[in-house]
Amino acid sequence: MLLRQVTAFAQELAGTLRRASVIDLLVRHIREALTPKEIAISLLPREPEGKEFSQTWPVGRPDRRPILDLVERHGPLALPDGLDSLVERGLLPAQPDSQGSWLVVPFTAKGRVTGAVALCGERGRYGQEMLPVLEGLVALASVALESARLVDLQDEGRRSWQDVVDAIRPALCIVDRGGRIRRANRAFADLVNVSPASLIGRPWQAFAPPEWTAELQRALDQQGAGREVDLRTGDRTYAVTAVPISSADRTTLVLLFDDQTERRRLQDQLIQSEKMSAIGQLIAGIAHDLNNPLASVVGFADFLREVPNVPPSLREPLTVIQEEAERASSIVKNLLSFARKQEHQRRPTALQPLLDATFVLLRNQLMAHRVEARIEVEPDLPMPDIEPNQIQQVFVNLINNAAQAIASTGQLGTIVVRARRWLDGVAIDVIDDGPGMPEALASQVFEPFFTTKPEGEGTGLGLSISQGIVREHGGRIMLSTEEGRGSTFTVQLPLATRPAAPPPAQGTGTPTKRLRVLVVDDEPHILHYMRATLEAWGHIPVVARDGEEALNITAVEDFDLVISDLRMPRIDGREFYEALVRRQPALAARLVFSTGDTVRGDTLAFLESLDRPYLHKPFSLGELRALLADIAREGAPLRRRDGATMEATPRT
């Protein structure tokens, strides 16, 4: 009878993997086999930080933990006469309702006690012969409890694995040799827009967009080769690789989808930055090549207009030549100013000339887009404290965007740039009559990489960079727009807190003192123009075609002033200057450079290090007169005034 009960218990335990269910079955079979009046069960914690499990039947019986603790020290016990003998020997504290007979048996696993069962019956009911029955039931329960523990550990490991892979940013799935998905993380489920549970056991082709199929199959075919394929969905780009799950099992592969969108955008931004750097160097070379002939044209036009006996019929053509040469010169200077990198050089700046220069820079683009543009500046507008080139970049972005918005309508349009007073600063409105924007779109325009332009036509960085520049100046950019009613971008800038530097003095007449001037340049027309001009003004010019010829001349002659180009064959301007510093330092102090290249960092740094004026080609007769007047008055070139240079002199 008892054997059948133990066998039935074993059969019921076979499918039980929960600890609580095992204990419930054990209590029921103990009651059926041994009919106790009380049962107490205790299980030790599975982990050091876990909690002890205990159960009594019937509910509400006294705490029998002291009896259960005996098992750890003494093993299985049969106490047919009750607990008094143990209490008298000091092995057990006094127990309530301790009369009757007792059986106490431990749970064991791998030779370790993991808990105990104690049961109480009528006095004399349980003797030594009944102990094997309880031991058999408890042994079966111990095996079932250990199995439940292992299953729990496996489930916990599975849950931990799932938690880990769900926390991984790249999407991944495990594919078997038949192309079925064995596991996948949440990122992959989100990528293919299905629930994780519906992926398992299904072929990966059922979830991949049709345009991905060929590339994914290629990744699976070249498994472990360290190669990746690129996939696109919407505006996202993924790099996909397939690697075997282990070296022993190459039939099961892990497909890894790494979102490369931001990385690719940053790479594109870096490439764009490198392109802009290369363009800056190209501009420097082109500007130098343009400024040399422009210097001759501007110089001779100025020179001929001052000649008193020029026939009246030639006055108008000369004026046109002069104005068009100055216009070309202004375009080149604006390009150089825009490409030149000048940081942390904020100064009080008048907005009218800056806006005029910006419109000259954008003249062709505005004409191409059939956009009429005009500038409106309030009279006596105060000057903001800005870095002109950075703020000009902001205006270029805003005006370009407005022109492109108008062009998208296919209609003629107008842009008005209005500069006005605003609270404690100035505000510049860029107003267009283009298509405007809906509210949802307008709220995103300052976000990095956001663009409404077709792919390849915009980086989405212009407005975010402009916002950053204006914020660094202590201002802000605001947008007012309405769909179908145009847009207005408003740039607000604080006023300057220091006075503007005075402009360099312009000579109005030929200096009375006769000067000996050495002109060093590899352009014959510039040498011709400078010689004719200086002779007409009563000076004594000497010319040299490069630094080597100039050194030979200075070895035997002295000069009040040396005007030298920077970029020349054989010995260039810098080498010529350094040789003069060693041989004739007094003459080196009277050397002024003339150059058409100040966009290159090394050139500009060298000129700034000298802390003296320099002439920027093409320079006007007024700038040359001012330089000669300084020499005639002081005997040597003056130091730069508050950072002012001859090249910064405004042309009118």
Side-chain angles (χ1 to χ4, degrees):
M1 180 68 176
L2 291 176
L3 179 60
R4 285 200 300 272
Q5 288 177 328
V6 171
T7 302
F9 180 46
Q11 290 173 342
E12 288 192 59
L13 285 176
T16 305
L17 297 176
R18 292 180 63 248
R19 182 167 65 168
S21 299
V22 172
I23 297 301
D24 288 343
L25 284 175
L26 177 62
V27 169
R28 179 162 63 81
H29 279 273
I30 289 175
R31 291 174 60 194
E32 292 175 357
L34 300 171
T35 60
K37 64 178 183 179
E38 179 184 344
I39 302 173
I41 298 176
S42 174
L43 294 176
L44 299 176
R46 292 177 174 178
E47 298 86 17
E49 65 275 7
K51 294 182 178 180
E52 182 179 355
F53 175 88
S54 63
Q55 184 170 322
T56 61
W57 176 87
V59 177
R61 298 299 296 170
D63 184 6
R64 300 302 185 184
R65 192 172 289 104
I67 302 174
L68 298 170
D69 290 344
L70 282 174
V71 174
E72 219 175 311
R73 300 190 298 271
H74 297 285
L77 296 172
L79 303 167
D81 298 325
L83 305 175
D84 292 342
S85 61
L86 296 178
V87 175
E88 292 171 357
R89 291 159 54 191
L91 298 176
L92 189 69
Q95 294 291 304
D97 299 331
S98 62
Q99 300 302 313
S101 59
W102 291 81
L103 293 177
V104 186
V105 173
F107 292 100
T108 58
K110 299 179 181 179
R112 181 175 63 87
V113 174
T114 59
V117 176
L119 57 92
C120 177
E122 299 296 333
R123 189 177 183 85
R125 176 172 177 75
Y126 302 134
Q128 196 71 31
E129 73 281 0
M130 300 298 291
L131 194 57
V133 178
L134 183 58
E135 286 183 307
L137 293 172
V138 172
L140 289 173
S142 295
V143 173
L145 288 171
E146 183 64 14
S147 298
R149 186 184 72 84
L150 294 176
V151 170
D152 285 348
L153 287 175
Q154 185 178 12
D155 289 343
E156 186 177 344
R158 187 181 297 111
R159 287 191 298 271
S160 297
W161 182 91
Q162 196 66 46
D163 289 342
V164 169
V165 297
D166 281 345
I168 294 174
R169 182 179 63 87
L172 61 86
C173 70
I174 300 175
V175 180
D176 64 18
R177 71 172 67 191
R180 291 180 297 273
I181 297 174
R182 290 175 52 182
R183 285 186 179 182
N185 67 349
R186 182 162 295 279
F188 180 80
D190 292 341
L191 177 62
V192 297
N193 197 29
V194 297
S195 65
S198 63
L199 293 167
I200 309 304
R202 303 278 300 281
W204 62 264
Q205 295 92 336
F207 305 101
E211 63 270 19
W212 284 12
T213 304
E215 292 298 320
L216 282 177
Q217 189 60 57
R218 184 160 67 89
L220 291 168
D221 292 342
Q222 61 188 22
Q223 53 170 290
R227 300 172 185 170
E228 61 183 32
V229 297
D230 287 344
L231 300 177
R232 293 183 62 86
T233 174
D235 61 346
R236 313 303 295 179
T237 301
Y238 296 89
V240 183
T241 54
V243 295
I245 198 168
S246 69
S247 57
D249 181 9
R250 302 187 69 85
T251 62
T252 303
L253 304 173
V254 179
L255 274 175
L256 183 66
F257 296 72
D258 190 14
D259 191 340
Q260 297 281 303
T261 307
E262 297 305 321
R263 177 182 169 190
R264 298 292 168 84
R265 283 176 175 171
L266 290 174
Q267 286 177 340
D268 291 344
Q269 185 180 354
L270 178 60
I271 291 171
Q272 186 70 14
S273 175
E274 291 175 348
K275 286 181 180 178
M276 292 303 293
S277 177
I279 288 172
Q281 296 301 317
L282 180 63
I283 287 175
I286 293 174
H288 182 269
D289 293 340
L290 286 176
N291 279 330
N292 277 323
L294 278 175
S296 301
V297 175
V298 171
F300 274 119
D302 280 351
F303 173 75
L304 289 175
R305 288 198 65 190
E306 292 188 355
V307 174
N309 57 353
V310 173
S313 60
L314 296 181
R315 290 283 180 186
E316 184 175 350
L318 278 175
T319 301
V320 172
I321 291 172
Q322 183 186 40
E323 289 176 352
E324 291 303 298
E326 289 184 354
R327 178 182 166 200
S329 171
S330 178
I331 291 172
V332 173
K333 283 189 176 182
N334 285 330
L335 283 172
L336 285 171
S337 296
F338 190 64
R340 184 184 304 146
K341 188 174 182 180
Q342 295 179 343
E343 298 180 357
H344 310 300
Q345 295 186 11
R346 296 181 191 173
R347 57 182 180 270
T349 303
L351 288 176
Q352 180 80 56
L354 186 64
L355 291 172
D356 288 340
T358 304
F359 269 57
V360 170
L361 195 65
L362 297 175
R363 180 172 177 270
N364 288 336
Q365 290 96 308
L366 295 174
M367 290 177 60
H369 291 309
R370 299 192 301 166
V371 173
E372 179 187 347
R374 65 177 185 269
I375 302 172
E376 299 176 359
V377 179
E378 283 188 3
D380 301 321
L381 187 70
M383 291 187 288
D385 196 17
I386 60 174
E387 202 292 305
N389 294 310
Q390 288 185 340
I391 295 301
Q392 186 182 47
Q393 181 182 351
V394 173
F395 293 151
V396 166
N397 280 329
L398 295 180
I399 296 170
N400 252 335
N401 285 347
Q404 290 167 1
I406 292 172
S408 68
T409 67
Q411 304 293 323
L412 300 176
T414 303
I415 297 174
V416 178
V417 179
R418 181 176 297 133
R420 54 187 171 84
R421 289 175 175 80
W422 163 78
L423 299 179
D424 56 348
V426 295
I428 304 92
D429 302 313
V430 180
I431 308 164
D432 70 74
D433 55 5
M437 288 176 267
E439 184 177 348
L441 193 65
S443 64
Q444 296 178 274
V445 295
F446 293 108
E447 295 178 6
F449 303 113
F450 178 80
T451 179
T452 59
K453 298 173 186 175
E455 185 174 350
E457 293 187 16
T459 64
L461 292 172
L463 286 175
S464 63
I465 291 174
S466 297
Q467 181 78 286
I469 290 172
V470 174
R471 282 178 177 169
E472 286 179 1
H473 282 74
R476 60 177 177 169
I477 303 180
M478 297 187 301
L479 169 62
S480 174
T481 185
E482 184 178 343
E483 195 167 9
R485 301 289 295 274
S487 301
T488 299
F489 283 88
T490 300
V491 179
Q492 296 174 343
L493 295 167
L495 294 183
T497 56
R498 55 195 171 97
Q506 295 290 305
T508 57
T510 305
T512 56
K513 181 179 177 181
R514 196 177 192 194
L515 302 175
R516 288 180 57 81
V517 182
L518 174 62
V519 181
V520 188
D521 204 298
D522 62 320
E523 292 284 337
H525 296 302
I526 292 179
L527 294 178
H528 185 185
Y529 149 64
M530 291 291 286
R531 183 198 295 272
T533 300
L534 293 171
E535 285 178 346
W537 290 351
H539 301 295
I540 305 171
V542 177
V543 298
R545 290 168 294 182
D546 57 40
E548 182 176 350
E549 185 178 351
L551 284 175
N552 293 332
I553 293 173
T554 56
V556 296
E557 296 185 53
D558 193 23
F559 296 92
D560 299 296
L561 174 66
V562 178
I563 301 175
S564 173
D565 191 15
L566 261 176
R567 292 172 60 181
M568 296 180 293
R570 297 198 291 183
I571 295 180
D572 63 16
R574 186 181 306 197
E575 293 170 328
F576 169 54
Y577 170 75
E578 291 170 349
L580 277 185
V581 170
R582 293 191 301 270
R583 302 177 187 179
Q584 297 169 271
L587 184 57
R590 298 194 293 274
L591 185 147
V592 170
F593 285 106
S594 64
T595 181
D597 172 21
T598 56
V599 74
R600 295 195 311 175
D602 57 343
T603 299
L604 189 59
F606 172 68
L607 292 173
E608 295 285 344
S609 69
L610 298 181
D611 191 32
R612 66 179 66 181
Y614 57 88
L615 294 169
H616 191 290
K617 295 178 181 178
F619 48 85
S620 66
L621 293 188
E623 292 168 331
L624 183 58
R625 278 197 181 98
L627 176 64
L628 295 172
D630 287 342
I631 296 297
R633 183 171 56 252
E634 303 290 341
L638 296 178
R639 297 285 181 182
R640 293 167 58 198
R641 304 181 185 91
D642 288 332
T645 63
M646 299 301 291
E647 64 92 19
T649 304
R651 298 183 60 83
T652 57

